[in-house]
Amino acid sequence: VLDLQYTGLGPAEAMVLANLVSGALPEHDFLTTLNVAGNIDMVGVGARQLAEAVLASESLEVFSRMPLKLLKEDTSVAGLDLSHEAATFFSRLRFIPHFDREELLRTRPALAKLAGETLPRGARSPRLGLIEALVLAPLVRASHVLASLNVAGNEFNDEAGRLIGMAAAEGAPALAELDLSYNELSEATKKQVRAALDARNMKLLAASKKKVKGNEHAPPLEGTLIYHV
């Protein structure tokens, strides 16, 4: 087990970890758990090398809260919640009619603290960033059993958001729910991801109508995605 969450690692350290994961450890000592969550400066070539090493590893079972081994097997993980507590709190409030988030935080500072708004980054479960998205996206894209994915409230930048969003839009045929809200995405990226997810749903809707037209007794087409970005 190697826990390096919130240790200020960057691209150079990511390259070192990539070599470690790729087999620099002695044969009798296998790394099964690696946590690098919260290292938002882990980007660029180093992050990609580490992601490739993690995905190729035969010994790693858990990577930054992700059940890596089970996701790679793609047989049992139908729901995956990697959200941060703050996002989970606010997602429940999403269903309150005419809910005004900013007004609530202004008038009820205790709720802001509960939601993690006034707590330091490391005070709650570590937020995931680009390196985790680089690992998660191809697993989501290739999965035939994942039906629900919640990554709300993390530190996904535009690149990370696009990786997850496009994986959901272009693959993951069983995926029915996706929550990407409360991440660090620009409005342009949100618009791009929403358009791709809408295109997926429109394609499925068109195929469903064609199927029903040819067979009135055909069951509804599965795969329509409900999402929050």
Side-chain angles (χ1 to χ4, degrees), residues 104-181:
L104 180 61
L105 293 182
R106 186 182 67 79
T107 58
R108 299 286 298 277
L111 290 181
K113 183 176 181 181
L114 174 64
E117 295 287 319
T118 61
L119 296 180
R121 282 180 175 176
R124 290 177 175 266
S125 64
R127 287 180 165 94
L128 308 183
L130 176 59
I131 179 60
E132 285 81 17
L134 286 166
V135 172
L136 183 60
L139 296 173
V140 170
R141 183 184 294 269
S143 177
H144 288 80
V145 301
L146 186 64
S148 174
L149 175 61
N150 187 348
V151 290
N154 285 294
E155 293 179 310
F156 285 175
N157 59 14
D158 284 342
E159 182 180 357
R162 284 193 295 268
L163 283 168
I164 300 299
M166 295 306 164
E170 299 171 359
L175 193 63
E177 295 180 77
L178 171 66
D179 196 339
L180 259 171
S181 59

